Amino acid sequence: MAQVPQPLDALAVRTWCGLALQALGRAREEIDAINVYPVADGDTGTNLYLTVESAAAAVEAVFAGYEAGGADRPTLAATVRAMAHGALIGARGNSGTILAQLLRGMAQVLAADGETADTDAQGLRLALRQAADAARDAVEHPVEGTVLSVASAAADAVTGAEGDCGGVARAAYEAARTALAATPGQLPVLRRAGVVDAGGRGLVTVLAALVETLTGEAPRTTVEAPAPSEGPARIRHARVPDGPGDEWFAARECADAAPAPSGPAYEVIYLLEADDAAVARLRERLDALGDSLVVVGGDGLWNVHVHVDDAGAAVEAGVEAGRPHRIRITHFAAGDVHTTGAARPPRERVQRAVVAVVPGEGLAGLYQEAGATTVLARAGEPPASGELVEAVRRAHAREVVLLPNDADLRHTAAAAAEQARTEGVRVALIPTRSAVQGIAALAVHEPERRFDEDVVAMTSAAGATRYAEVAVAERQSWTMAGICQAGDVLGLIDGDVAVIGSDVTATAETVLDRMLAAGGEMVTLVLGDEAPESIAAHLESRVRESYLAVDTVVYRGGRQGSLLLIGVE
C-alpha cells in the first residue's frame, strides 16, 4: 500500500536531513572518487557529508529542546533556520559551501511567513528557485557543468510542476538527474575524465532524500557518464545502494588524460562576522588573490571559501573585513593539479598526541602550550565528527588521546575515533564532560609511558575532577533547582542546575562551597570574557580563608560561552 504523501513541515525537514546524511555517508567515497573539478583533491563527497552532518545536528538540537520538555514544538521556520545555520557554520570545501547557500536560500522562503506549521507545493517551488539563485550569486565566477547547473535545472523544472510537495520534489530530482548526466558536455575537464560533476552528484543525492521524505519512496535510477575523450579508460561503477537515489554512475578513470593546469596552492575557509559592505569589499580583494571564491551567508555571519597562493593574505583580508574564526587552511598535496615540482617526503609521525575540544581561545592557548592539538567549539557551534578526525590527522601521531570536554559531544567524538582507527591510528576516547576535566587529564599526561597506562592515569584524573559552570539563563525553563527566568544566573554542578541566583559572584561562591563540602585539594577557575573583573580574587580569597590546604589556579578562557568554569580535584 502506497504511503500517504507527507507535508513539508518541521518533522519532514528533520527526516530529510537524516536521510540525506545517511545517503551521503553511503555515497561519500564514490563521490570523492569522481571529484576532478575545481580541484582533483578527492574530497567533495566528504565535504558534502560534513556539511549536512552539521545541518542535521543543528536540527536535532532544536528537537532535543522540545523533546526534553524545555521548548515549544518546533516550527518549520525555526527548523529550516537551524538547518541553514548548521550548514553555514559546518560548510566544508567548495561543494559544501555552495550546498550551505542552497539550504539558506530555501530557508529564506520557507521561514518568510513566520512560525507557520508547514508549506505547500508553491512554497517549495519558490524555495527551490531561491536556493538556485542564491547559490549562483554566492559564486564569484559561476561555471556551467557544475552543481550550479544542476540546481538551476531543478528549479526550472518545478515552475509548472503540478501536485503536492512530493510531486514538486520528484520533478526537481528528475530534472537534476538529467542535468547531472549532461555536465560532462558542459565542462571539458569532466569530459576528459569521463565523469559527472561530483558536487552535482551530491545534490542529486540530497534531492533524492527529499523525494523519499515527502513520498515515502526512494527514487531509483541509472546515470552513466560518457566515455573519456582522451586516453584509455578504466571503468569503475559507483553505486549508492539501498537508499535515496540508489543511483549508478560509471566513473571512468582516464589513464593518460592531459593534466589540468596548475593553480593556487592553498584552500582557505573561515567563518566571518562582518557587515554587508565589508563583505562586498572582501569579495573584490579575494577575487584578485585567487580563484574558486564562494562567499555565503548573511545577517552578519558568512562562510568564506577561496583558493589562493598566499593564505596569510586571504586571512588578513578577513581580519580587515570583520572577525574571522574557525579558520581552516589546507595545502593541496604536492603533485596534484594545484602544485608543481617534486613531492615532499612525508614527515615522520610522532608516537602520541592529545586532541582536545576547547570552548574558548584562551583555553585553546593553554592546551596548546601543554602540547595538545585543539578544536575550537564556540557557543552554538559544536564541531562535527569530521573536524575531530581532521584534528587527529593534524596531530600526525600513531596514538591519540581524544578529550571531547563536553557531554553532548560523546557520540560525535566516538564516531571520529572510529573513523581515525580505520586510518590506522590507535585512539583512546576519555569521556571528559568539561574543559576543566580535560585540564586535569592533561596535567598527568606522560607521552613516555605505555599508552594504556597513560590513558588510565588521564581517565582517573578526569574522573576525580568535579566540574561546574556559571551561566545566564536565556529563557524561562524548568530545572533541578526550580523554575528559572531569562536573565537569572545559573550554577550547574556536574551538568545539573543546582543554584538559581541574581548575582554572578554570589552564585559562584555558593556553587564553590557546595563542591568543596565534599572535599578537594585543587580548585581551577576558568574565566569567560563577560565574567565580573573581581570574581577571581573574591573566590580565591574565599578558598584561602575557608578551606585549608586547598590551592587555586586561575585561567582566562576568552569567549567560552559561560561566565565561569570551576573544577575541583
Side-chain angles (χ1 to χ4, degrees):
M1 183 173 63
Q3 181 172 328
V4 177
Q6 297 297 309
L8 184 55
D9 56 13
L11 184 58
V13 172
R14 184 190 197 185
T15 302
W16 178 30
C17 288
L19 288 175
L21 185 63
Q22 292 172 19
L24 287 171
R26 290 189 293 267
R28 180 181 61 79
E29 291 183 2
E30 302 299 346
I31 296 176
D32 284 345
I34 63 171
N35 171 203
V36 298
Y37 182 86
V39 182
D41 50 354
D43 64 357
T44 290
T46 299
N47 288 337
L48 289 170
Y49 177 86
L50 295 175
T51 302
V52 173
E53 181 185 46
S54 183
V59 169
E60 288 301 317
V62 171
F63 276 85
Y66 164 66
E67 291 168 350
D72 295 332
R73 184 182 184 87
T75 62
L76 173 63
T79 306
V80 294
R81 288 193 197 104
M83 173 185 70
H85 181 72
L88 177 67
I89 65 174
R92 310 297 286 272
N94 191 74
S95 55
T97 307
I98 293 174
L99 178 60
Q101 189 72 345
L102 287 165
L103 296 179
R104 177 178 171 80
M106 292 188 70
Q108 288 174 329
V109 172
L110 298 176
D113 293 333
E115 305 301 313
T116 54
D118 52 35
T119 193
D120 57 13
Q122 178 60 12
L124 182 54
R125 292 188 194 98
L126 295 174
L128 290 168
R129 177 79 270 164
Q130 175 63 15
D133 293 345
R136 191 168 288 269
D137 290 343
V139 178
E140 196 67 22
H141 300 288
V143 175
E144 298 307 323
T146 65
V147 63
L148 298 178
S149 301
V150 176
S152 293
D156 292 342
V158 302
T159 300
E162 298 181 356
D164 55 18
C165 287
V168 171
R170 189 177 294 278
Y173 166 75
E174 293 293 347
R177 182 181 59 84
T178 301
L180 177 63
T183 55
Q186 298 172 286
L187 203 53
V189 66
L190 301 178
R191 183 170 61 253
R192 286 195 298 268
V195 297
V196 294
D197 178 66
R201 164 82 157 80
L203 178 58
V204 168
T205 302
V206 171
L207 289 174
L210 181 61
V211 174
E212 184 179 19
T213 298
L214 297 174
T215 69
E217 299 175 357
R220 297 174 183 275
T221 185
T222 300
V223 175
E224 185 166 314
S229 60
E230 303 177 26
R234 299 189 301 272
I235 299 177
R236 179 184 66 254
H237 285 281
R239 187 187 183 194
V240 188
D242 305 323
D246 200 17
E247 295 118 344
W248 288 77
F249 294 92
R252 294 178 172 84
E253 294 178 332
C254 186
D256 299 318
S262 61
Y266 295 94
E267 177 185 61
V268 178
I269 303 174
Y270 50 79
L271 290 179
L272 177 70
E273 295 175 13
D275 58 35
D276 291 4
V279 170
R281 294 190 297 270
L282 175 66
R283 280 179 177 272
E284 293 181 4
R285 182 167 177 188
L286 292 180
D287 189 35
L289 284 175
D291 60 28
S292 297
L293 174 59
V294 185
V295 181
V296 304
D299 303 319
L301 182 63
W302 309 81
N303 191 305
V304 179
H305 170 280
V306 67
H307 294 172
V308 293
D309 278 322
D310 189 344
V315 175
E316 288 172 7
V319 172
E320 292 180 6
R323 191 179 77 86
H325 53 97
R326 298 186 83 169
I327 300 168
R328 294 190 293 271
I329 299 174
T330 302
H331 183 269
F332 294 114
D336 71 13
V337 296
H338 265 225
T339 58
T340 57
R344 297 177 182 177
R347 64 186 176 97
E348 182 67 21
R349 286 181 179 271
V350 298
Q351 182 61 32
R352 189 174 309 158
V354 175
V355 172
V357 180
V358 290
E361 295 90 342
L363 278 180
L366 173 67
Y367 272 74
Q368 289 163 6
E369 287 177 6
T373 298
T374 61
V375 177
L376 192 62
R378 297 181 181 277
E381 301 176 11
S385 62
E387 290 182 73
L388 301 188
V389 173
E390 279 197 2
V392 171
R393 292 170 182 154
R394 196 166 69 246
H396 205 63
R398 298 182 182 89
E399 303 167 339
V400 169
V401 179
L402 183 56
L403 306 175
N405 291 340
D406 187 333
D408 291 337
L409 288 178
R410 178 167 55 93
H411 295 301
T412 300
E418 188 61 32
Q419 174 61 36
R421 291 183 188 114
T422 67
E423 298 178 8
V425 182
R426 187 181 184 188
V427 181
L429 171 60
I430 297 179
T432 48
R433 299 185 175 190
S434 170
V436 292
Q437 288 189 321
I439 291 173
L442 201 56
V444 299
H445 168 55
E446 291 186 15
E448 303 306 318
R449 263 194 305 228
R450 288 181 52 236
F451 185 65
D452 292 340
E453 293 176 354
D454 197 28
V455 170
V456 168
M458 295 177 71
T459 302
S460 177
T465 302
R466 299 189 69 196
Y467 64 96
E469 176 183 355
V470 177
V472 176
E474 296 181 356
R475 60 178 181 271
Q476 184 186 61
S477 183
W478 290 88
T479 76
M480 296 288 288
I483 300 175
C484 71
Q485 306 296 327
D488 283 348
V489 180
L490 306 180
L492 296 87
I493 299 178
D494 294 338
D496 293 323
V497 176
V499 181
I500 300 175
S502 57
D503 179 77
V504 174
T505 301
T507 302
E509 181 178 318
T510 301
V511 168
L512 186 57
D513 284 341
R514 291 193 184 185
M515 295 179 74
L516 286 172
E521 299 175 355
M522 169 72 75
V523 171
T524 300
L525 304 175
V526 183
L527 306 179
D529 276 349
E530 298 182 2
E533 287 293 329
S534 61
I535 190 170
H538 179 86
L539 295 178
E540 284 185 291
S541 176
R542 174 69 177 174
V543 171
R544 186 169 54 252
E545 294 172 1
S546 303
Y547 303 96
L548 298 177
V550 177
D551 295 323
T552 304
V553 60
V554 179
Y555 301 111
R556 295 283 174 177
R559 300 179 59 170
Q560 61 186 25
S562 58
L563 300 173
L564 175 68
L565 298 177
I566 304 174
V568 174
E569 302 175 48

